[in-house]
Amino acid sequence: MTHLDMDKIAAALGAKRRGKVSATSGYFGAMQLLADVEARFRVPAGGGRPTDPRWTERRLVPLARRTLERLEAITAKVREHDGVNVEPMQLAALLLEKTTEQISEGEAEDLIRPRRRSSR
Amino acid sequence: MAKKRRTSRPQRALFSEGRQSVLVVLFVPSVERDGRTAINQNHWVDAALEMFGRVFGGATAYPRAKGIWRDDVRGGALVKDQPVVVHCYTTAVDVQDSRKLAELGNFCRMMGRKARQGEVGLIIGDEYFAVRDFAEE
C-alpha cells in the first residue's frame, strides 16, 4: 500500500485520527458490491440475466478452484442476505474492473515481474 | 534484452491512468445531531461531488445506506441515519497536498456546522478521520 503521512493529513484537515479501518472488505465491501450491481446491472433488451451493458467482451479466464469457491460463497451470501442475484463470474468481472482501475503502474509491474522470472 | 525493454513500454501506457490508488470516503448524513431533524442531504451530496470533482478530479456517490453513530457528548445517544457514502479515488501526492486537504477540511467543517453534526467522518486510505471542530478557519 502507498505510504501516507497520516499525521500530516490529519493536521491539514483539522481532523483527529481515529484508527485503522478495512475499507475493502466486510460489510463495507459488500455494500459497494450491492451498490455497483444495483447501479449498473440491466436486463438485456432480448431478455435474460441482468448484466452490465458495457460488458461486451468475452474471454476465458483460468482461475483456481479456491478462487471460484470464494466467488460462489460471496454471491450466495449476497443472494441470501440481500436478495440480489449476481453470478460468481459477474462478481469476478466487477472485481477485475475495479482492480484494473485502481492498481498503480508500480503495483502492476510488481505482480508481473516475479511471475516472469519464475516461469523460466 | 532489447526486446524485453520494448515490451515494457506499452504496459506503462496501459496503466498510466491507474495511479489513482488512494480511496477517500466521505459520509454525508441524513439527519442533524439530534437524530430527528432531516437535513437537505441531496444538497450536501451534490456539494461534496462538486468539491471532490474540483479538488481531486472526480467522485461517486452511492445509494443511501443505513447508519448509526454514538454521540458520547450527549450521554451515548445513538443517532440513526441514512448516510450517502461518497467515494473518491485520488493519488498519494494529491491526498497529501496541503491546499487540497485544506479545501476538503473546509468542506467537512462547513457541512458539520451548517447541517448541525456532532462529527463528520472521512476515511483516507486505511484510516478513519473525525472532524469535530467546525469553527471557520
Side-chain angles (χ1 to χ4, degrees):
Chain A
M1 172 172 277
T2 313
H3 175 74
L4 300 175
D5 185 341
M6 295 300 186
D7 288 327
K8 180 186 168 187
I9 290 173
L13 278 175
K16 289 215 172 353
R17 294 177 65 177
R18 294 290 181 197
K20 300 272 184 193
V21 296
S22 174
T24 53
S25 62
Y27 176 75
F28 204 74
M31 202 181 75
Q32 274 182 260
L33 169 65
L34 288 180
D36 271 348
V37 169
E38 284 179 3
R40 295 162 50 169
F41 279 29
R42 300 281 180 273
V43 177
R49 181 187 300 144
T51 184
D52 187 327
R54 292 175 305 170
W55 291 351
T56 56
E57 306 304 311
R58 295 182 186 280
R59 298 288 186 277
L60 277 174
V61 182
L63 69 172
R65 175 170 292 279
R66 183 167 165 256
T67 307
L68 183 59
E69 285 171 354
R70 176 89 175 116
L71 292 167
E72 287 170 342
I74 295 169
T75 50
K77 207 168 189 176
V78 167
R79 195 175 303 118
E80 185 188 335
H81 287 190
D82 302 284
V84 174
N85 273 316
V86 53
E87 295 298 318
M89 291 313 289
Q90 288 182 319
L91 172 60
L94 274 173
L95 295 172
L96 183 61
E97 195 172 294
K98 276 184 178 297
T99 308
T100 308
E101 285 168 2
Q102 293 162 23
I103 196 167
S104 71
E105 182 183 306
E107 287 165 335
E109 287 183 356
D110 286 347
L111 279 173
I112 295 164
R113 275 183 185 146
R115 197 167 288 178
R116 278 184 178 164
R117 279 191 209 108
S118 63
S119 68
R120 290 193 165 191
Chain B
M1 291 300 281
K3 194 175 181 182
K4 216 174 192 181
R5 279 180 187 279
R6 275 199 298 275
T7 56
S8 70
R9 282 182 193 145
Q11 281 173 5
R12 281 184 179 278
L14 255 181
F15 293 107
S16 62
E17 291 177 2
R19 289 169 174 269
Q20 314 266 95
S21 57
V22 179
L23 176 61
V24 179
V25 180
L26 172 69
F27 297 88
V28 179
S30 62
V31 291
E32 291 185 4
R33 185 176 196 164
D34 62 13
R36 292 187 299 274
T37 312
I39 70 165
N40 188 344
Q41 191 179 40
N42 284 339
H43 162 77
W44 289 109
V45 171
D46 288 343
L49 288 172
E50 281 177 25
M51 180 274 298
F52 277 124
R54 192 179 65 253
V55 178
F56 294 108
T60 303
Y62 285 90
R64 273 182 156 192
K66 274 189 176 181
I68 197 160
W69 178 70
R70 194 185 67 209
D71 191 347
D72 290 334
V73 177
R74 293 195 306 126
L78 291 176
V79 178
K80 292 181 182 175
D81 75 347
Q82 293 182 292
V84 167
V85 181
V86 181
H87 280 197
C88 165
Y89 285 100
T90 184
T91 64
V93 173
D94 279 357
V95 85
Q96 294 178 101
D97 180 297
S98 303
R99 282 166 58 183
K100 291 179 188 296
L101 284 170
E103 282 211 52
L104 177 57
N106 283 341
F107 178 84
C108 292
R109 278 189 290 281
M110 183 172 65
M111 184 168 73
R113 196 168 55 244
K114 293 190 174 176
R116 299 174 193 275
Q117 297 300 295
E119 176 174 306
V120 172
L122 269 174
I123 294 170
I124 298 178
D126 62 352
E127 187 136 346
Y128 181 81
F129 293 87
V131 179
R132 289 188 171 183
D133 180 359
F134 302 135
E136 285 184 80
E137 292 209 333

